[in-house]
C-alpha cells in the first residue's frame, strides 16, 4: 500500500479546521515537531506572531508556495506581503478550477 499522506512542510498552505480562525487559510512558517506547527497568513496573523496549531486541527493542502519556502530557507523569515500573495494566488487557482468545472 502506497503512503500518500501529505507531510507538513514550510510553505505548505493549510485550511484551519478548529479554533477562532476556522475555515481560514494560512501557510506553515515553521515546524515544531510531529504534532505542532506555526502558521501565519500575513494579514490577521503576521509572520512575527504566528499561531501554534496542532496538525490535527489543520487540513494540509497539496499546494506548497515555493516563494515562501525559499524565502524562509534563505533568510529565516518571509514578508507578510509574500504570505498574502501566496494565499491569494492559491485561492484564485482553486476558484478558477471550480469555475472551469462549472460550479
Amino acid at each position: 500500500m502506497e503512503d500518500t499522506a501529505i507531510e507538513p512542510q514550510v510553505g505548505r498552505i493549510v485550511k484551519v479546521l478548529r479554533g477562532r480562525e476556522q475555515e481560514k487559510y494560512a501557510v506553515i512558517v515553521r515546524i515544531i515537531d510531529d504534532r505542532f506547527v506555526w502558521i501565519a497568513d500575513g494579514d490577521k496573523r503576521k509572520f512575527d506572531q504566528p499561531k501554534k496549531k496542532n496538525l490535527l486541527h489543520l487540513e494540509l493542502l497539496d499546494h506548497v508556495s515555493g516563494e515562501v519556502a525559499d524565502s524562509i530557507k534563505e533568510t529565516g523569515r518571509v514578508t507578510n506581503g509574500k504570505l498574502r500573495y501566496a494565499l491569494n494566488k492559491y485561492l484564485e487557482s482553486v476558484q478558477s478550477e471550480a469555475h472551469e468545472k462549472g460550479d
Side-chain angles (χ1 to χ4, degrees), residues 32-58:
I32 300 170
D33 57 29
D34 58 357
R35 283 192 53 215
F36 291 97
V37 295
W38 292 100
I39 62 168
D41 64 9
D43 183 23
K44 297 255 185 293
R45 183 62 64 186
K46 305 283 194 232
F47 176 78
D48 290 327
Q49 293 171 341
K51 174 81 176 149
K52 181 180 178 183
K53 288 297 278 184
N54 186 324
L55 285 168
L56 298 175
H57 297 171
L58 298 172

Side-chain angles (χ1 to χ4, degrees), residues 24-91:
K24 297 264 192 300
Y25 292 86
V27 181
I28 295 176
V29 293
R30 207 167 117 225
I31 296 170
I32 300 170
D33 57 29
D34 58 357
R35 283 192 53 215
F36 291 97
V37 295
W38 292 100
I39 62 168
D41 64 9
D43 183 23
K44 297 255 185 293
R45 183 62 64 186
K46 305 283 194 232
F47 176 78
D48 290 327
Q49 293 171 341
K51 174 81 176 149
K52 181 180 178 183
K53 288 297 278 184
N54 186 324
L55 285 168
L56 298 175
H57 297 171
L58 298 172
E59 177 185 344
L60 299 178
L61 304 174
D62 62 358
H63 182 82
V64 176
S65 168
E67 293 115 331
V68 172
D70 291 345
S71 179
I72 291 175
K73 191 165 60 179
E74 288 166 17
T75 65
R77 53 183 299 111
V78 65
T79 64
N80 292 309
K82 204 172 273 188
L83 289 171
R84 288 191 302 271
Y85 173 77
L87 287 169
N88 287 333
K89 199 164 100 173
Y90 170 75
L91 293 173

